[in-house]
């Protein structure tokens, strides 16, 4: 294909407003253009890469029995509400048609596909069934960032499997794990799998796929001595009780003349922060609950939801604080709380003696508070966010926190949607059973960005061979040299007959400009037709290793076959 016939608007310098590495390179190499913040146009080179990526995913999904579908972009709002999905709320583009009917611009499909299966399948004999689509989804974030990592619209492959039994779901879950690993290997991207958190149901198994990146917006926790890996929200750590043997003192009230935070009060009273109890007031479903952690720790709300087995956990507001405690929110304490409000505490709290906590009055704190003696604890559990240096839950090494980008996830959704949408099949005994579901997604545009970040250097992108926009980039250095033109055309024809995808730089540009653009674009091999064209000699350069060699025209196909095999 002639480069003069393609739209490849390369740039010499990074755009001023492009901070993410992937965005800088894709813009400079002429793969994409930004239409507005978080919205991008994919130009011809990007489309060739995206199609190859989608083809790889399609091939690997079909190997495990998945079949392709295409769901609509306009999703009826009532169906999402019936599915009880919080994910779309506040993050979707809502719109109405001319009749006033409300829709959401394609963001989540679990409920829609579940209802489709419930309408069309009535017997367990039709299961298992797994479907997938590759589509554009939309996210109404307050602002976009990190280039294609966090954009308002993004390309995604999402798959859904449906089963009559848990064993069947487990088998497909494992099959998708193997498929994902093959996909990442073929794409040439290094990905880590880790335990994740579910926005659908806190009780489900979740596996996330993260690519480590200092510009990432996710945090993963990794043991430095074992294979343990988990998203920060899902991570746990080993707990060893270090119960204080300090004699319990009499509880007393401390009133300050001015408003002070718990940390400030502890400092004024010369009490270590590790001996203070921080209170978080929530409405769990419809019930008020207090969650207690040491003041040097943070509450992990996902763990609280899992412990309480609730779908909704909201931070209480000032009105609710006055209603239940007759106290400002920042003065709430656990002593004297009504029985209607259950108290749950992190495991570390049970080790405390003579602690400091809120006093349920303005500017008031309680000293020498002892859990269980001075207030009842409904349950102790691991309710905190882990921290760097915590002991790994398998007691092998300590946890290291690393930033990354989530590029995929899979969830054992189970019967969450079938129970809410009343979808069931008849089992072998003629009894109605809810359908089990699994969900599997890969962010294609995110993976595109991450391939670029992991496979690039200052001069440009180094595309992995299987997804490169072209296999070979032929550069004719002088378009006015007839010998070069004849040899270029012959080499192009030879390479295409040999099965290579070829891009030919036929532009009236200086050789230096063409070489710089070739480096930016990043095809695996560059073939230079230059000063030795009259001798039938061309130069070969491998982008990844920068290795170069000169060969005769007649030896080009065989030499390239050998060298490309050794390079890969």
């Amino acid at each position: 294909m002639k480069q003069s016939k393609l739209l490849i608007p390369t740039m010499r310098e990074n755009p001023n407003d492009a901070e993410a590495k992937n965005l800088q390179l894709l813009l400079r190499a002429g793969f994409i253009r930004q239409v507005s913040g978080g919205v991008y146009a994919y130009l011809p080179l990007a489309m060739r890469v995206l199609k190859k990526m989608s083809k790889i995913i399609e091939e690997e999904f079909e190997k495990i029995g998945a079949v392709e579908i295409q769901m609509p972009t306009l999703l009826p709002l009532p169906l999402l509400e019936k599915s009880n999905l919080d994910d779309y709320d506040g993050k979707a583009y809502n719109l109405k048609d001319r009749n006033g009917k409300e829709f959401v611009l394609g963001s989540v499909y679990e409920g829609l596909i579940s209802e489709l299966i419930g309408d069309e399948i009535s017997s367990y004999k039709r299961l298992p069934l797994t479907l997938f689509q590759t589509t554009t989804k939309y996210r109404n974030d307050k602002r976009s960032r990190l280039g294609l990592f966090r954009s308002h619209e993004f390309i995604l492959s999402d798959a859904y499997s449906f089963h009559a039994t848990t064993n069947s779901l487990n088998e497909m879950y494992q099959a998708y794990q193997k498929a994902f690993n093959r996909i990442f290997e073929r794409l040439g991207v290094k990905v880590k799998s880790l335990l994740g958190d579910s926005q659908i149901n806190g009780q489900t198994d979740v596996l996330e796929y993260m690519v480590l990146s200092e510009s990432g917006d996710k945090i993963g926790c990794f043991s430095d001595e074992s294979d343990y890996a988990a998203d920060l929200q899902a991570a746990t750590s080993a707990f060893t009780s270090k119960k204080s043997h300090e004699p319990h003192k009499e509880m007393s009230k401390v009133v300050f003349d001015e408003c002070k935070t718990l940390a400030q009060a502890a400092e004024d009273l010369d009490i270590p922060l590790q001996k203070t109890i921080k209170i978080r007031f929530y409405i769990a479903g419809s019930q008020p609950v207090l969650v207690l952690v040491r003041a040097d720790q943070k509450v992990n709300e996902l763990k609280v939801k899992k412990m309480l087995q609730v779908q909704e956990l909201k931070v209480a507001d000032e009105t609710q604080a006055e209603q239940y405690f007759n106290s400002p929110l920042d003065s709430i304490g656990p002593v004297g709380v009504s029985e209607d409000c259950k108290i749950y505490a992190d495991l570390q709290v049970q080790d405390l003696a003579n602690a400091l906590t809120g006093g349920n009055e303005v500017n008031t704190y309680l000293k020498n508070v002892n859990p269980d003696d001075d207030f009842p604890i409904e349950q102790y559990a691991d309710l905190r966010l882990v921290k760097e240096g915590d002991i790994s839950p398998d007691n092998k090494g300590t946890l290291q926190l690393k930033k990354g980008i989530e590029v995929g996830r899979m969830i054992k959704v189970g019967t969450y949607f079938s129970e809410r949408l009343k979808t069931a099949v008849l089992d072998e005994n003629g009894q109605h059973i809810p359908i089990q579901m699994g969900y599997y997604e890969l962010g294609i545009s995110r993976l595109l960005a991450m391939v670029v970040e992991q496979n690039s250097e200052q001069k440009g992108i180094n595309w992995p061979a299987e997804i490169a926009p072209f296999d070979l980039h032929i550069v004719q250095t002088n378009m006015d040299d007839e010998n070069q033109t004849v040899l270029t055309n012959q080499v192009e024809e030879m390479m295409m007959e040999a099965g290579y995808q070829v891009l030919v730089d036929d532009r009236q540009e200086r050789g230096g400009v063409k070489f710089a653009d070739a480096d930016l674009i990043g095809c695996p091999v560059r073939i230079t037709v230059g000063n030795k064209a009259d001798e039938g000699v061309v130069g070969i350069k491998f982008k990844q290793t920068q290795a170069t060699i000169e060969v005769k025209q007649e030896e080009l196909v065989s030499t390239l076959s050998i060298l490309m095999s050794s390079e890969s």
Side-chain angles (χ1 to χ4, degrees):
M1 187 172 290
K2 305 297 185 184
Q3 193 163 337
S4 62
K5 304 298 182 183
L6 286 175
L7 178 62
I8 311 177
T10 57
M11 306 166 64
R12 296 277 74 83
E13 303 294 335
N14 289 327
N16 293 331
D17 57 347
E19 296 181 2
K21 182 180 179 181
N22 71 86
L23 186 57
Q24 293 173 355
L25 288 167
L26 289 169
L27 287 171
R28 287 181 58 206
F31 280 73
I32 65 174
R33 280 296 178 265
Q34 183 166 307
V35 177
S36 66
V39 180
Y40 302 94
Y42 295 96
L43 304 185
L45 292 180
M47 288 306 300
R48 293 182 67 88
V49 176
L50 288 169
K51 286 181 179 179
K52 290 183 178 183
M53 295 175 69
S54 297
K55 184 64 175 176
I56 289 172
I57 293 171
E58 176 185 333
E59 290 173 356
E60 296 299 339
F61 280 5
E62 288 182 347
K63 284 179 184 178
I64 60 175
V67 291
E68 188 170 14
I69 59 171
Q70 186 66 56
M71 301 302 288
T73 299
L74 291 175
L75 307 180
L77 181 60
L79 177 58
L80 293 178
E81 292 174 337
K82 184 166 63 171
S83 304
N84 196 24
L85 261 181
D86 294 330
D87 192 46
Y88 76 91
D89 187 26
K91 296 182 181 179
Y93 288 93
N94 297 79
L95 61 155
K96 294 181 180 181
D97 66 12
R98 62 184 62 193
N99 298 314
K101 190 173 182 180
E102 294 184 287
F103 292 89
V104 168
L105 201 56
S107 55
V108 289
Y109 287 86
E110 293 93 326
L112 182 60
I113 291 182
S114 294
E115 187 162 271
L116 173 67
I117 296 300
D119 290 341
E120 302 300 330
I121 292 181
S122 58
S123 171
Y124 77 99
K125 295 180 180 180
R126 299 279 304 278
L127 302 176
L129 176 68
T130 182
L131 310 170
F132 78 96
Q133 65 172 345
T134 298
T135 188
T136 299
K137 289 189 175 184
Y138 304 86
R139 180 193 294 110
N140 191 6
D141 279 342
K142 291 183 178 179
R143 65 183 182 92
S144 63
R145 58 193 185 280
L146 305 176
L148 298 184
F149 287 147
R150 179 67 71 173
S151 54
H152 291 312
E153 59 177 33
F154 50 98
I155 304 170
L156 192 88
S157 277
D158 49 338
Y160 308 82
S161 66
F162 301 91
H163 310 266
T165 66
T166 301
N167 286 340
S168 177
L169 171 59
N170 291 339
E171 290 174 2
M172 184 58 69
Y173 196 76
Q174 293 175 4
Y176 266 103
Q177 290 180 46
K178 294 178 181 178
F180 274 32
N181 290 335
R182 290 193 296 267
I183 289 167
F184 296 138
E185 183 177 357
R186 293 178 65 181
L187 294 181
V189 64
K190 298 176 182 178
V191 178
K192 291 185 176 292
S193 61
L194 57 163
L195 301 175
D197 65 280
S198 170
Q199 299 301 317
I200 295 177
N201 185 345
Q203 304 303 309
T204 58
D205 291 338
V206 182
L207 197 61
E208 291 182 2
Y209 292 86
M210 175 186 287
V211 179
L212 298 183
S213 172
E214 281 303 312
S215 60
D217 58 354
K218 296 273 286 188
I219 297 178
C221 304
F222 303 88
S223 169
D224 59 3
E225 293 184 13
S226 74
D227 294 332
Y228 179 79
D231 176 270
L232 178 62
Q233 298 295 324
T236 60
S237 58
F239 172 72
T240 302
S241 180
K242 298 178 180 178
K243 195 167 185 63
S244 171
H245 297 293
E246 180 182 338
H248 290 188
K249 300 178 182 178
E250 184 178 352
M251 182 174 61
S252 61
K253 183 185 297 187
V254 180
V255 181
F256 292 95
D257 294 332
E258 57 183 352
C259 180
K260 291 183 180 291
T261 65
L262 181 60
Q264 291 170 336
E267 183 178 3
D268 285 359
L269 296 171
D270 198 25
I271 297 175
L273 202 58
Q274 292 85 348
K275 283 190 64 174
T276 62
I277 301 174
K278 181 165 57 180
I279 312 296
R280 287 293 177 263
F281 179 29
Y282 296 98
I283 304 299
S286 59
Q287 299 300 313
V289 297
L290 291 185
V291 177
L292 280 52
V293 295
R294 268 183 10 199
D296 60 325
Q297 307 289 358
K298 293 182 179 180
V299 174
N300 184 321
E301 294 182 358
L302 177 69
K303 291 179 179 178
V304 176
K305 288 176 68 174
K306 284 185 174 182
M307 177 191 65
L308 298 178
Q309 299 186 23
V310 295
Q311 281 301 119
E312 189 175 55
L313 185 73
K314 291 186 176 181
V315 177
D317 56 27
E318 288 289 351
T319 301
Q320 290 163 323
E322 290 291 342
Q323 175 186 349
Y324 289 101
F325 297 94
N326 294 318
S327 168
L329 195 59
D330 58 5
S331 298
I332 288 176
V335 178
V337 171
S338 166
E339 293 182 357
D340 295 335
C341 183
K342 302 298 184 185
I343 301 176
Y344 300 89
D346 180 67
L347 294 171
Q348 293 181 342
V349 173
Q350 66 184 325
D351 289 345
L352 297 181
N354 303 318
L356 178 71
T357 192
N360 287 325
E361 295 179 22
V362 177
N363 300 341
T364 301
Y365 289 91
L366 295 177
K367 284 179 59 178
N368 302 326
V369 168
N370 292 285
D372 294 316
D373 287 355
D374 296 318
F375 55 89
I377 300 294
E378 186 75 15
Q379 182 179 341
Y380 288 102
D382 175 16
L383 300 178
R384 68 181 187 92
L385 283 173
V386 300
K387 299 171 72 173
E388 182 100 15
D390 283 350
I391 304 299
S392 178
D394 56 11
N395 284 299
K396 297 178 181 178
T398 58
L399 296 180
Q400 309 297 312
L401 273 55
K402 299 179 181 180
K403 289 184 178 180
I405 300 290
E406 183 183 314
V407 294
R409 64 166 38 205
M410 55 182 66
I411 308 173
K412 289 183 185 178
V413 181
T415 60
Y416 177 84
F417 288 102
S418 57
E419 290 176 353
R420 282 155 181 77
L421 298 172
K422 310 301 181 185
T423 56
V425 294
L426 293 175
D427 65 11
E428 62 271 24
N429 300 315
Q431 301 295 316
H432 284 94
I433 56 172
I435 299 174
Q436 303 267 351
M437 188 175 92
Y439 173 68
Y440 321 86
E441 73 172 25
L442 284 170
I444 298 179
S445 49
R446 280 192 175 190
L447 282 166
L448 170 69
M450 187 47 71
V451 169
V452 170
E453 295 220 352
Q454 287 190 350
N455 298 273
S456 61
E457 32 78 28
Q458 184 63 32
K459 290 185 178 180
I461 306 168
N462 300 326
W463 289 106
E466 195 165 357
I467 60 172
F470 292 91
D471 302 318
L472 311 175
H473 197 166
I474 301 176
V475 176
Q476 181 178 340
T477 60
N478 184 356
M479 295 304 298
D480 296 325
D481 187 313
E482 187 174 345
N483 288 328
Q484 288 191 24
T485 300
V486 170
L487 183 56
T488 296
N489 291 336
Q490 290 174 348
V491 170
E492 178 185 12
E493 186 175 351
M494 287 171 52
M495 294 296 99
M496 291 178 65
E497 288 181 356
Y500 294 103
Q501 296 177 353
V502 182
L503 175 64
V504 179
D505 193 340
D506 61 336
R507 299 173 299 161
Q508 285 287 358
E509 294 281 2
R510 293 181 293 105
V513 172
K514 292 187 174 186
F515 292 147
D517 284 351
D519 282 336
L520 278 173
I521 292 169
C523 297
V525 177
R526 187 184 80 200
I527 298 175
T528 302
V529 180
N531 295 332
K532 295 185 178 181
D534 56 343
E535 303 173 28
V537 174
V538 299
I540 300 175
K541 180 178 181 179
F542 291 92
K543 184 68 164 65
Q544 186 71 37
T545 63
Q546 300 292 299
T548 60
I549 188 175
E550 288 187 344
V551 298
K552 297 282 287 184
Q553 173 187 353
E554 57 269 22
E555 300 171 350
L556 181 56
V557 173
S558 59
T559 301
L560 201 55
S561 176
I562 295 171
L563 293 179
M564 289 187 76
S565 297
S566 63
E567 284 277 319
S568 60

